[in-house]
Structures are given as C-alpha cells and as structure tokens.
Amino acid sequence: MSIKGVFREWGPAWLVMIADMDAASLITAAQNGVQYGYGLIWFLLFLSVPLYLVQEVSGRIGVATGKGLAEILRENMGKKVASIAAFPMAIIDFLSYAAEYTGIAVGMEFVGISPLVSVPIAYFLHLLLVYKRQYMRVEKYLIIGSIFMILIYIMAAGFRGYDPYSSPFLFSTSRSFIFLAAANIGAVVMPFMLFYQASATAEKRAKSIKLMRVETLVGALVSESLMVAIEVASTGLNSANFQNTVLIARSLSSLAGPYSPLIFGLALVLSGFIALVIISLGSAWGVTEALGIGRRNWFKVYLAESIPAAILPLISQSLINLVLNLMVFEVIALIFPIILMGLIVSNRKIMRNYASSKKGMIVYWVVVSLIISGGFLALIY
C-alpha cells in the first residue's frame, strides 16, 4: 500500500486507543503511582495484550462487513437482541460521558477553575465540534490533538524523572490492590471502544486488515506506555491528599517543579475532550444502529445522555473517587457487547475469510474471561 493509502486508512484504531488514554484512565494511572509507586507498571504493560486482541476483533468486523457492530447485531441476531443491547449501551454512554467531564473538571481545578465554569464550557465546545460535521473532518482535528496530548504526557513524566532503583513489579491480594487492578482493567477496554472502531472503520471504508492490525498494535503500545508515564509522574504524591486537587497541585509542584500541575491539568483536559468526541460518535452510533433508527439521529441520542452526565461532576463530593468507581463499573457494562462481538467474529457466514480460527477464539475467550473476572473481583473482594 502507498503512503497516501496508509494516511487515508489510518485513524479509527489510533484514535480509539488515544481515547482509551482518557481523563478517567489518567486519574486511574495516577492513583497507581500514589498508592503503589512503580509497582503496577508491569500490569499496565501486560494490559496492552488484551487491549490489542479485543480491539483487533472490533476493527476486523468493520473491515469484513463495512458495517458497525450494533448494525451487525441487529441484522444477524434479530431486533430483539439488538434492542436489549441498546439499553446497556445507553447506560455505558452515560458513565463514559460522566467520567470524561469529571476528568476535565479535575484538570481545570488544578489551575483554580471551578467545575461550575469548566464543565459547561467543555460541553458547549464539544457540541460545536461534533454537530453536523462529517466523521472524516472531525477525525483530522482529533489526530492533531492526539499528537499534542502525547507530548504533554511525555512532559509530565519528564518533569518528575524516573527512579531506576524502584521496582516496577508488585502483587498483592489486599482489597485496595484488587480494586485498583480492576479499575485499570476497566480503563483499558471500555465498551464504547468496541462500537467506535468497528463503525469508524466501516465509515472510512477501510480495506486493509494488515494496516488495521499494525495501527491497533501501535495504538495499544502507545496507550499503555502513556499510562506508565502518568504512574511514574504521580509516584510520591501523598495518598492522604490525593482526593483534594489543590493539595495535589502543591504536591506536584514540590516533586516536579512549579509547572507540573499545569501540565498535568492540561493532560486531563485534552485527553478528556478528545475522548468525549470519540465516545459521542461511537456510543451514539451503537445505540442508533442497534435500534435501527439510522445514524442521522445519533445527535439526539447524544443530547439525551450527555446532559445529565455533565451534571454529575457538578454535584459529586469526590471527583476522583467517582472516576475510580466508574472504571470498575465499566468492566461489568462491557460483558454483554464483548461476548456478542466474540459470537460475531467466529461466524463465517458474517465474517467470511476474516472469521477467527478456533485457536484465535480460545485466546479471545480467555482474554474476555480475565477482563470480566477482574470486574467481579472488585465488587466482591
């Protein structure tokens, strides 16, 4: 494929991985550093494997069928199954939007701006960007924004520095460790990602499986490496102060210089905003496709879900605790769509030559079982 062809097809997998490194994921990674220092680095790097395996399946469905995941569900499993799928998708949308607006609120609080100001501004800026714009036009803005976001993450880790004598491996059976591990699992594969990559790949009419796989792999490695960078940057913060953004800002200043709170805050705001666009497209696509009401109605669905989600951070007493609990719930909400996606990708009538082999499906179901088990462990442990 020519370089021009690569640039033409590049986008869906990369952006969904960048959206995965959203404000909620950043807060989760920061909590890793606060509670366990470098101890969860090994786990974050390991999570790049299930992240790639799951999202590769989503992208393959888009390439093979030229349709979104929910549309395939409706056509092949009946309207009843698709309608049942639409309800949890709406809940997932709400939780995802709430997590991103919460991350933006936390980031702006680092520089002294109240959520009462920052959240409404973010909401209306987002509406201006996504309303009636074609996907290809929006995608260009998002790719440019993703480059800036990566540079900000690198700066955040660079200001803090790296301690080569600290161990990157820690394992514990304590309740707090299991809960945080589950939150990281919830942060690595979110439900909207399944619907976005399939639909966006179909929207671009991408045809190269090989390029989609390379793009997904690169995105997975970059995403989890950025999580590691934030864990490193937040190591040494006082856990007792982590629920207070003013005290976090002071701690960051003492550890990594006076500009570190600003950099950390910008990372939260930019990552949250990029993810908002991706989620609003992917999740609302999923709902409208499942219900069979057409993508043209996606904006109405988005408005119905996002308005109450934007209100939630304004009334929450602990924004950071809210995000961590949302991440654990994401794992539970992922169960239904991730199982249905596995049934689709193994169906040769739907996928033709792109269907997964028996060995591939064994690997997929093992990964899915581990993801789901992590969520339930956090609930009962």
Side-chain angles (χ1 to χ4, degrees):
M1 179 179 289
S2 65
I3 295 177
K4 184 178 180 180
V6 171
F7 279 108
R8 184 175 61 250
E9 291 201 19
W10 191 277
W14 170 259
L15 287 175
V16 83
M17 297 301 185
I18 293 301
D20 183 38
M21 188 55 228
D22 61 352
S25 296
L26 191 153
I27 290 174
T28 304
Q31 185 72 30
N32 293 346
V34 167
Q35 289 190 223
Y36 299 107
Y38 292 0
L40 277 165
I41 288 178
W42 71 273
F43 190 61
L44 292 177
L45 295 176
F46 167 76
L47 286 176
S48 62
V49 177
L51 175 58
Y52 167 77
L53 291 173
V54 170
Q55 289 306 128
E56 186 275 337
V57 169
S58 175
R60 188 149 34 105
I61 290 172
V63 172
T65 66
K67 298 176 181 179
L69 175 58
E71 188 175 358
I72 294 298
L73 287 176
R74 179 171 51 81
E75 290 181 354
N76 293 276
M77 296 186 180
K79 198 168 184 178
K80 186 175 182 179
V81 171
S83 299
I84 293 173
F87 179 70
M89 272 192 285
I91 297 176
I92 293 163
D93 294 350
F94 173 80
L95 294 172
S96 298
Y97 294 140
E100 303 317 326
Y101 282 117
T102 299
I104 291 171
V106 171
M108 295 303 283
E109 278 195 329
F110 279 168
V111 292
I113 298 177
S114 168
L116 294 174
V117 176
S118 61
V119 172
I121 290 176
Y123 184 81
F124 286 110
L125 284 177
H126 175 236
L127 292 186
L128 289 174
L129 180 61
V130 302
Y131 183 59
K132 287 189 176 180
R133 288 183 179 271
Q134 295 180 349
Y135 169 74
M136 295 294 289
R137 294 179 62 189
V138 174
E139 184 186 72
K140 294 177 182 178
Y141 296 122
L142 296 180
I143 291 176
I144 294 171
S146 71
I147 301 301
F148 282 105
M149 191 185 81
I150 290 172
L151 293 175
I152 290 173
Y153 282 132
I154 293 172
M155 290 176 63
F159 270 98
R160 180 65 180 89
Y162 183 81
D163 180 4
Y165 300 103
S166 296
S167 173
F169 183 88
L170 174 68
F171 182 78
S172 171
T173 56
S174 68
R175 182 177 181 181
S176 61
F177 184 90
I178 297 297
F179 177 82
L180 192 54
N184 279 275
I185 294 172
V188 76
V189 182
M190 302 183 199
F192 77 86
M193 297 169 64
L194 309 183
F195 296 98
Y196 177 85
Q197 187 165 345
S199 293
T201 301
E203 191 82 4
K204 293 197 74 170
R205 296 178 174 85
K207 297 180 180 179
S208 174
I209 272 286
K210 184 177 180 181
L211 179 58
M212 181 277 294
R213 285 172 172 163
V214 170
E215 184 184 348
T216 303
L217 178 60
V218 171
L221 293 174
V222 169
S223 175
E224 291 310 299
S225 295
L226 293 177
M227 289 283 282
V228 169
I230 295 305
E231 180 171 336
V232 169
S234 60
T235 295
L237 293 179
N238 189 329
S239 60
N241 295 337
F242 195 64
Q243 305 306 317
N244 186 307
T245 51
V246 174
L247 295 178
I248 296 173
R250 291 176 183 172
S251 297
L252 284 169
S253 296
S254 64
L255 288 171
Y259 296 108
S260 53
L262 175 61
I263 293 172
F264 198 82
L266 284 174
L268 276 168
V269 173
L270 186 55
S271 59
F273 191 80
I274 290 175
L276 273 176
V277 179
I278 299 298
I279 295 169
S280 64
L281 290 171
S283 296
W285 277 343
V287 172
T288 54
E289 288 171 3
L291 296 176
I293 59 177
R295 288 186 184 178
R296 65 185 181 277
N297 292 307
W298 78 269
F299 195 73
K300 298 175 183 177
V301 175
Y302 166 69
L303 285 177
E305 296 169 341
S306 63
I307 292 175
I311 294 174
L312 189 58
L314 304 180
I315 61 177
S316 174
Q317 297 297 313
S318 177
L319 294 177
I320 292 173
N321 273 340
L322 173 62
V323 168
L324 292 175
N325 283 288
L326 286 175
M327 288 300 94
V328 172
F329 189 82
E330 288 272 8
V331 181
I332 307 303
L334 184 69
I335 295 173
F336 192 51
I338 204 171
I339 289 176
L340 290 177
M341 192 169 76
L343 297 177
I344 290 171
V345 79
S346 63
N347 189 324
R348 291 195 174 274
K349 290 183 179 180
I350 301 172
M351 298 295 293
R352 302 185 304 279
N353 294 334
Y354 296 108
S356 292
S357 65
K358 291 182 179 180
K359 290 182 180 179
M361 288 311 303
I362 290 174
V363 173
Y364 181 81
W365 291 125
V366 168
V367 168
V368 168
S369 298
L370 290 174
I371 292 172
I372 294 173
S373 297
F376 280 110
L377 271 175
L379 293 177
I380 65 178
Y381 206 78

